[in-house]
Amino acid sequence: MTKKTQENLLSILGQELLPGTNTTINFNIAKLYTSTKVEIPIIIERSKKAGPTILITAGIHGDEINGVEVVRQIIAKKINKPAKGSIICIPVLNVFGFLSMDRFFPDGRDLNRVFPGNKNGSLASRFAYQFINDILPAADFCLDFHTGGASRFNAPHIRVDPKNKKLVELAKVFNAPFILLSKNLEGSYRATCAKIGKDILLFEGGKSQNSSKEIAIEGVQGTMRILHHLDMLGSDFEVPVPHSESMIIKTSFWMRAKYSGLLHIKIPIGKHVEKGEILATITDPYGKMRHVVKASNEGYVINVNEAPIVYKGDAIFRITKELVNE
């Protein structure tokens, strides 16, 4: 093996991968009660040409199907075969939650709140520790795909720390309809990447236990724009035509239900609404009460609660308040 080849080796979970190769490594940290192995496939494609290593993940929350579908399409369409460098795809990080369509790990922990983990901690914490120490070091840049929790449907957007100007610019390259400027949450994958100097973009779109074709398209096309920007997109692919400039959201707020009842949404996700515009109605089951929900201010609706029934005080619409673009 030449010195140059040694320098271009990629090491993941103790396996050394040569340039120009592709492989799947099964990450196994625990078993089911039945002693059945739970394996997490890590799909790696390497170009013969030197370049950056991109880590693409989804399914940190097991019930967030849209992100899984984005990474699946990236693999199925062979977008993950780089013109240079390496692309690592992990479509489902939380296989335990994926099997049961649950957000959490079997120990009740939210994986995205226990990073960087502890080798002697709970199952989720042990998993996070091994991921951070044995997989993440190989990456130069990360893309992580999520959806809205429960019945809340997110308009497709990138979340990024406003203090990281480089990532704000990369978010513009991804070109989702919206960019949400938000601080990193303690214990999250994104916060851990920031602390150790790994660049990461977090994509949000759709809702849990739901698959949206439109959201998947946004995720796949945004990934292709990032790969093109890094000169990693294969020559067989055309760069997706960008949207108009992403709307950069500085602040937003949740409108909450003033009454309990059946929720009837009247507007599409992502719509620009005016103050006083009708967004929904809330009714009782008996045909006696009908409350009209009106926008409290002008802005874009970036999250909608699609639950069929709500209680008084439930968050129902998230509307932008301040845009950087304005």
Side-chain angles (χ1 to χ4, degrees):
M1 186 182 301
T2 66
K3 182 179 179 181
K4 186 175 181 180
T5 301
Q6 287 178 324
E7 290 174 351
N8 288 331
L9 278 175
L10 184 68
S11 180
I12 296 177
L13 293 171
Q15 294 195 40
E16 294 185 337
L17 310 172
L18 292 169
T21 61
N22 61 81
T23 190
T24 297
I25 299 173
N26 287 319
F27 180 21
N28 184 351
I29 190 171
K31 297 179 180 180
L32 299 178
Y33 298 128
T34 57
S35 295
T36 303
K37 287 183 179 180
V38 176
E39 294 182 330
I40 298 165
I42 303 171
I43 299 157
I44 306 150
E45 293 280 350
R46 302 206 68 200
S47 171
K48 290 182 179 179
K49 295 182 180 179
T53 297
I54 309 302
L55 174 59
I56 304 175
T57 54
I60 279 183
H61 298 124
D63 60 353
E64 296 185 356
I65 308 304
N66 264 137
V68 176
E69 174 61 13
V70 170
V71 185
R72 184 201 71 80
Q73 288 193 26
I74 289 169
I75 297 166
K77 295 176 180 179
K78 304 187 187 309
I79 298 166
N80 66 322
K81 292 183 177 294
K84 70 176 185 180
S86 305
I87 298 178
I88 304 168
C89 289
I90 310 178
V92 187
L93 269 175
N94 181 3
V95 169
F96 296 98
F98 187 73
L99 290 170
S100 57
M101 278 294 92
D102 194 336
R103 179 181 182 87
F104 303 104
F105 251 61
D107 57 11
R109 265 78 169 185
D110 182 335
L111 178 60
N112 209 28
R113 297 295 181 272
V114 300
F115 285 100
N118 186 322
K119 64 180 178 181
N120 298 314
S122 68
L123 179 59
S125 187
R126 290 174 187 233
F127 178 91
Y129 179 86
Q130 191 167 357
F131 175 82
I132 292 297
N133 287 276
D134 295 338
I135 298 173
L136 185 59
D140 299 305
F141 176 71
C142 306
L143 286 170
D144 190 33
F145 291 89
H146 288 259
T147 74
S151 298
R152 295 184 294 277
F153 194 107
N154 273 322
H157 67 270
I158 292 288
R159 292 188 183 180
V160 65
D161 186 342
K163 293 182 291 186
N164 192 323
K165 303 305 180 185
K166 177 183 176 182
L167 286 182
V168 172
E169 291 305 312
L170 283 171
K172 293 177 183 178
V173 172
F174 191 100
N175 194 225
F178 301 98
I179 297 171
L180 179 61
L181 302 179
S182 66
K183 295 179 180 178
N184 297 322
L185 292 173
E186 191 64 32
S188 68
Y189 175 35
R190 184 160 66 113
T192 299
C193 283
K195 286 178 181 178
I196 63 176
K198 296 283 185 183
D199 289 331
I200 182 171
L201 291 181
L202 185 153
F203 174 88
E204 284 271 2
K207 67 178 180 179
S208 299
Q209 298 189 16
N210 178 267
S211 186
S212 164
K213 180 180 179 181
E214 291 74 20
I215 295 297
I217 289 172
E218 291 289 352
V220 171
Q221 291 189 349
T223 300
M224 292 174 72
R225 293 186 195 104
I226 289 290
L227 293 177
H228 172 71
H229 177 75
L230 298 172
D231 295 323
M232 295 178 68
L233 186 65
S235 59
D236 293 339
F237 297 98
E238 292 186 8
V239 185
V241 176
H243 299 287
S244 55
E245 184 182 1
S246 300
M247 302 304 298
I248 304 177
I249 303 164
K250 187 175 181 181
T251 58
S252 61
F253 74 102
W254 278 101
M255 285 186 61
R256 295 185 177 275
K258 294 182 178 180
Y259 298 89
S260 301
L262 283 70
L263 179 65
H264 311 276
I265 305 297
K266 304 298 183 182
I267 51 96
I269 190 74
K271 186 178 189 296
H272 183 271
V273 296
E274 300 294 335
K275 183 177 180 180
E277 185 171 340
I278 295 175
L279 306 181
T281 58
I282 297 174
T283 65
D284 67 6
Y286 313 109
K288 302 294 185 181
M289 183 272 286
R290 183 178 184 271
H291 168 70
V292 177
V293 180
K294 296 182 179 180
S296 56
N297 71 287
E298 175 266 344
Y300 290 91
V301 178
I302 60 170
N303 193 299
V304 174
N305 187 342
E306 295 187 341
I309 57 173
V310 293
Y311 280 104
K312 182 178 181 179
D314 283 355
I316 50 176
F317 295 103
R318 189 176 186 182
I319 303 178
T320 62
K321 195 171 184 179
E322 291 181 89
L323 298 174
V324 174
N325 311 64
E326 292 179 330

